[in-house]
Amino acid sequence: MNWYGIRAIYKFEMARTGRTLMQSIASPVLSTSLYFIVFGAAIGSRMGDIDGISYGAFIIPGLLMLSLLSESISNASFGIFFPKFSGTIYEVLSAPVSAFEIVAGYVGAAATKSIILGLLILVTARFFVDYEIVHPFWMFGFLVLTALTFSMFGFVIGIWADDFQKLQVIPLMVVTPLTFLGGAFYSINMLPELWQKVILFNPVVYLISGFRWAFYGVSDVNVGISLGMTLLFLVLCMTGIWWIFRTGYRIKT
Amino acid sequence: MESIISVKGLGKTYAGGFTALKNVDLDIRRGEIFALLGPNGAGKTTLISIICGIVNPTGGSVTADGCDIIRDFRAARSKIGLVPQELATDAFESVLATVTFSRGLFGKSPDPAYIEKLLRQLSLWEKKDSKIMALSGGMKRRVMIAKALSHEPAILFLDEPSAGVDVELRQDMWEMVRGLRESGVTIILTTHYIEEAEEMADRVGVINHGEVVLVEEKNTLMQKMGEKELSLHLPEPLQQVPEALRDLPLTLNDDGSRLIYRFDIKSNDTGITELLRRLNEAEIEFRDLHTRESSLEEIFVGLVRGEREEKAEQLTKETLE
């Protein structure tokens, strides 16, 4: 195992975050805080409880998940896309590092950044909304698992994208709508019966539901199914990455 | 002499059907400077990219210092450093950070003393904290070299190292390459500047249309394929080569002021004595004379053109048949 290689990629990516603190950390923390202020403190105080939880507290897991998904994808996709774009990918491809080590470096760094960001958002939320965490171990577990899974997904997008527009298409046109419709702001039990069934095809429902269970002990779907679906997506992403390195798709001719 | 890189039957056909390399066999000797010459699109960069692991081959095998580049890729790649043709750098990184990154990537433990020595050798130490985007093209090229040398490779590939580099830096680079060879590093360079190969290489390989046309010691090549030219400066220009001398390999330059005689370097009988006797008999005077050997560039152009003509001839023959 080339540990120095993994460390070099990891440190390189983390240093990039250090150089772009405003964009990488401050901006998502600020935008999520605005949601807490508007929907939590202002509008939330005039709304009734959902499943016995105040509306401000209810939306925390969903908003956290929204930031976690978009930042994990964005960090990892940009991390691998930029060397492809600038041409410096030649160095990674010619180095004695295996596919696993490359992924460990890039995805590890992207997931770390997202986890740090998630924890910062959680701390910031405390200033605006009262909340509790019933299962802190599971909350952290879901946080790490989601960050890791969607960083892998971002890695796949970064390999697939051959211009900056494509880099943004999936996070903005697919992931964000799925998160908004996946129960970030409401319980799926509040939907008409037909839509309650349709929405189960949205994979983000399972992520938010599981995460909310870890916070408050209530969920829209069984927590075991949530965990299973997250793991399934992780396996799908791992398979995608394995195929990319096996075939050299868009990285090797 | 022992081979450090051994290429056997290497082939590469891209997905679009273009064949960049056809059954290439090549051995690079340990400790030499090998110049790989070829026109644009000949397959030089593809060959280097396969050896370095950037491009997948479609056939054949390569070993670097005895290690197969696919089965034993870790050992093979850790011995190789690559300076690519394009100036691909991490624009927002500092010089020191990017070179340190390269060393780690290649599996070497941090060694600040070595990195400092390397940056000093390449006159980059003063710029160690500068962002790469703030450097000149020549400086960026040095950074690329520093990155390639950061893990102390035994083999260094320089793909068009002098592209876009000023004369002074080119001289410095040649000096550095010689220094590396002295320290035991094997250097393979591709170049469009034939004088670069002529100046530095121990051996020369010519690649064209994905095939290695020849591999030869530079000096032997220049002796074997080189011609020498005797130029006679005439006091009065001539309209044409005199009738009495038409059987000799003589030509006139454009303005008729010089008679040019070409002869084979390695031949025992150059025919110069005979030429001078015949000039005397024909009462043709000259006021000065000098000789000149063909350059590597002329040999290279001759080889590539010769191969092209041979191919065209073969194609015509096949079409007629």
Side-chain angles (χ1 to χ4, degrees), chain B residues 32-172:
Chain B
E32 74 174 340
I33 298 180
F34 184 87
L36 188 61
L37 309 179
N40 284 336
K44 304 185 295 286
T45 301
T46 301
L47 177 59
I48 289 181
S49 299
I50 290 175
I51 298 172
C52 294
I54 299 167
V55 169
N56 292 327
T58 41
S61 65
V62 181
T63 58
D65 208 6
C67 308
D68 186 275
I69 58 158
I70 293 171
R71 281 195 305 276
D72 200 3
F73 76 95
R74 278 185 203 279
R77 291 185 196 174
S78 64
K79 293 169 197 293
I80 297 174
L82 167 67
V83 182
Q85 193 173 337
E86 300 294 328
L87 277 176
T89 52
D90 306 302
F92 304 103
E93 281 292 324
S94 73
V95 172
L96 184 62
T98 196
V99 177
T100 306
F101 164 76
S102 298
R103 184 176 171 86
L105 191 63
F106 277 76
K108 287 272 187 172
S109 59
D111 187 347
Y114 172 74
I115 299 292
E116 181 179 342
K117 189 178 131 199
L118 182 62
L119 293 183
R120 283 191 190 282
Q121 271 175 357
L122 289 161
S123 309
L124 284 168
W125 184 246
E126 303 302 317
K127 300 274 183 187
K128 68 179 192 301
D129 298 318
S130 302
K131 282 190 175 173
I132 296 172
M133 64 181 170
L135 302 180
S136 66
M139 282 289 187
K140 282 180 188 158
R141 181 72 64 186
R142 285 173 203 240
V143 173
M144 307 275 294
I145 296 171
K147 283 166 78 69
L149 292 173
S150 65
H151 62 284
E152 302 161 68
I155 303 160
L156 180 66
F157 281 94
L158 297 164
D159 196 2
E160 301 286 351
S162 300
V165 162
D166 62 35
V167 177
E168 194 186 351
L169 179 57
R170 195 181 301 169
Q171 296 287 345
D172 285 355

Side-chain angles (χ1 to χ4, degrees), chain B residues 199-237:
Chain B
E199 174 78 22
M200 291 198 298
D202 298 310
R203 285 197 311 148
V204 172
V206 177
I207 186 166
N208 198 20
H209 299 299
E211 289 171 294
V212 173
V213 182
L214 79 85
V215 175
E216 190 61 271
E217 297 280 344
K218 181 189 70 190
N219 294 334
T220 314
L221 177 69
M222 293 187 71
Q223 262 182 6
K224 258 196 204 169
M225 306 205 62
E227 281 182 328
K228 209 159 183 175
E229 207 176 82
L230 171 67
S231 193
L232 299 157
H233 296 245
L234 307 169
E236 294 295 329

Side-chain angles (χ1 to χ4, degrees), chain A residues 85-211:
Chain A
F85 174 75
S86 65
T88 54
I89 191 81
Y90 84 88
E91 199 176 18
V92 176
L93 296 177
S94 64
V97 285
S98 65
F100 173 77
E101 289 152 359
I102 293 172
V103 174
Y106 281 108
V107 170
T112 306
K113 283 182 247 179
S114 301
I115 292 165
I116 292 170
L117 183 69
L119 295 174
L120 275 173
I121 290 172
L122 206 54
V123 171
T124 313
R126 196 75 188 171
F127 292 109
F128 308 103
V129 185
D130 275 337
Y131 65 86
E132 56 179 328
I133 302 171
V134 178
H135 306 289
F137 171 79
W138 281 104
M139 188 283 292
F140 192 69
F142 269 112
L143 188 76
V144 171
L145 194 60
T146 310
L148 203 61
T149 304
F150 279 80
S151 293
M152 283 196 186
F153 185 47
F155 189 87
V156 174
I157 292 171
I159 295 283
W160 165 74
D162 49 15
D163 59 38
F164 280 96
Q165 185 175 278
K166 280 188 182 168
L167 209 56
Q168 297 295 327
V169 164
I170 306 272
L172 290 179
M173 306 290 283
V174 180
V175 176
T176 305
L178 286 181
T179 312
F180 270 82
L181 298 172
F185 295 99
Y186 56 85
S187 163
I188 62 171
N189 295 326
M190 295 159 77
L191 295 172
E193 206 169 314
L194 174 69
W195 285 103
Q196 283 187 33
K197 292 192 167 46
V198 171
I199 211 154
L200 291 178
F201 289 99
N202 177 356
V204 181
V205 165
Y206 302 94
L207 301 175
I208 294 176
S209 175
F211 207 37

Side-chain angles (χ1 to χ4, degrees), chain A residues 40-51:
Chain A
I43 298 174
S45 60
R46 292 164 187 263
M47 292 178 74
D49 291 355
I50 300 175
D51 296 333

Side-chain angles (χ1 to χ4, degrees), chain B residues 177-192:
Chain B
V177 169
R178 284 194 198 94
L180 284 169
R181 197 258 302 269
E182 292 302 309
S183 66
V185 177
T186 304
I187 292 146
I188 299 104
L189 66 96
T190 71
T191 182
H192 276 105

